[in-house]
Amino acid sequence: MPVTDNAAAGGCMCGAVRYEITGEPSRVLHCHCQSCRSHTGAPMATLAVFGAEQVIFSGDDRKNYQSAPGVNRAFCANCGTSLTWETVFGDEGPLCAIHISSFDNPDALTPDAHSFYPERISWFDVADNLPRHEGFVAGSEPLQYGPAKQKPTD
Ligand SMILES: [Zn+2]
Ligand SMILES: [Zn+2]
C-alpha cells in the first residue's frame, strides 16, 4: 500500500519495498547497456534519475547487488522486482535511478534520452526522436536523434 498519495511513489510487485520521491528527476532515460538489460531481463531499462537525497525508502530493506565499483542495483528480496541503479560517486553526487515501471504512476515521467545506445540488442529500437548517446547522457553529445535506419527487408 502507498505510504502517501504522493504521485511520485512506487515500489516492488509484492509491496514489501516502497519509496517516495521529493522533487523532479534530473532526467528520464532509456538505457540499453548490457548491465541494465541483465538486471531487468528486458531488452531495455527505463530509469528516472534522482539525487539519492530525493528518495526515501520504506518497508523492507532493498537488496543490493554491486554491479560495478560504486554502483549498486537494488531489488526486492521477496519478489525480485528490479528497483534501482544507485551510485555513491560522480560529478552529480550520489544518484538513485529508479526503474520506471515500479512507479505507481509511470505515465507522469516522460523519457528524454537514450543512453548506451550502441549496446542495444540489434533488433530492438524505439520509434521516438529522442537523442541517442554512446554512454552516459550527462556531459556527452548525442550520436543521433531517432531510431537507426532500417535495412530494406527484401
Ligand atoms: Zn517485493
Ligand atoms: Zn544501463
Side-chain angles (χ1 to χ4, degrees):
M1 291 293 292
V3 177
T4 71
D5 60 359
N6 184 347
C12 65
M13 184 184 277
C14 77
V17 182
R18 294 288 304 173
Y19 58 79
E20 290 182 74
I21 307 296
T22 304
E24 299 297 317
S26 56
R27 67 186 62 87
V28 179
L29 53 83
H30 297 305
C31 189
H32 299 268
C33 84
Q34 169 75 58
S35 200
C36 281
R37 291 191 282 106
S38 292
H39 185 227
T40 59
M44 181 185 79
T46 304
L47 296 145
V49 183
F50 299 93
E53 77 287 351
Q54 291 179 266
V55 185
I56 296 171
F57 287 92
S58 60
D60 288 1
D61 288 339
R62 61 203 186 283
K63 179 101 174 160
N64 285 306
Y65 172 72
Q66 186 178 305
S67 61
V71 176
N72 282 326
R73 292 175 180 274
F75 56 97
C76 173
N78 184 52
C79 71
T81 297
S82 301
L83 290 167
T84 67
W85 174 96
E86 300 176 46
T87 62
V88 295
F89 60 82
D91 296 342
E92 300 172 82
L95 298 176
C96 183
I98 300 182
H99 288 286
I100 201 84
S101 290
S102 69
F103 282 92
D104 296 338
N105 181 20
D107 295 293
L109 298 158
T110 306
D112 48 34
H114 294 254
S115 57
F116 293 91
Y117 184 65
E119 284 189 44
R120 74 189 182 284
I121 295 178
S122 62
W123 47 255
F124 183 80
D125 214 331
V126 181
D128 63 37
N129 286 315
L130 297 175
R132 270 95 165 132
H133 294 257
E134 182 171 11
F136 290 110
V137 171
S140 76
E141 292 298 316
L143 295 171
Q144 67 188 71
Y145 291 78
K149 293 264 190 307
Q150 296 294 310
K151 290 179 185 168
T153 53
D154 59 338

